[in-house]
Amino acid sequence: MQPLTRVIASALLFAGAAAMADGVVSSVVKAPITPDGDVAGAPTDFVVDLDRSLDPAVLGRTLAQNCSVRVTLPDAFVRLEPVQDVFTPGCAPGNFQCTTGIFLQGWPQHPILPTFPPPGAPTEYMLTADGDNTLVFTALRDIDAPFLRPAPGPGLKQIHQINGYQNPTRPGHYPIHVEFTDGPGCVPGSGSGDFHIVPKIRPSVHVTSALNGGSNSIYQGAAANGSPQFPWDLLLWDRQ
């Protein structure tokens, strides 16, 4: 028997059929913090998983200073609020008064903040719009492990779109396009992933890290017949 057993908890225990993805995009899924981020006509809330393993031992993507990553939604998504950096005054997850997004390092509640320390003007990366349906994240300093704030980690692995858009009124699969820009010091790449818009809320269970201070409970070691370091805190959503 191995003296150390790797314990891996799925971040999404109930999921639909796998959607198409390619290039720098591994998948596009409903954000775990909401029951209806993927429901037709509801506020949009999704996470783009990039082409890096979510195992924290694997390094994420880098974004050099002045380089950008662009996230484009189809025209069927309607932007309702102005684009603003998250955690700047008046813009916070869940207040629905801004269109925003944030970088994640591979597990919930472990972001790379655009502003450090918040609140205030962006110091790490800034968010702008190119038309109504493209969000542009531009690095103000190198976004590279391990020099990440507020907490070190493996680097850029996910992009969380928060607030501001309304989902299409018709269920179906909608492509989300991601492009890392080319240029001096930039690592180019592009890809797309289908975001599945469903007709109504589906029960789902998601791992959250909010209750353990942001530590990674998805990938953790445990001795044989022992307990993991962190309990699995779960968000349970149903149709109500």
Side-chain angles (χ1 to χ4, degrees), residues 19-29 46-49 72-74 77 173-178 190-196:
M20 295 295 294
D22 61 33
V24 300
V25 178
S26 174
S27 63
V28 182
V29 297
F46 63 76
V47 174
V48 175
D49 296 324
T72 301
L73 289 67
F77 292 81
H173 292 269
Y174 293 83
I176 307 299
H177 185 71
V178 175
S190 64
S192 297
D194 284 348
F195 184 33
H196 187 194

Side-chain angles (χ1 to χ4, degrees), residues 2 23-24 26 28 42 57 68 103-104 129-130 132 141 146 152 166 174 207 210:
Q2 295 291 333
V24 300
S26 174
V28 182
S68 298
F103 292 158
L104 298 175
D130 183 0
D132 285 334
R141 63 191 297 267
Q166 179 178 311
Y174 293 83
V207 175

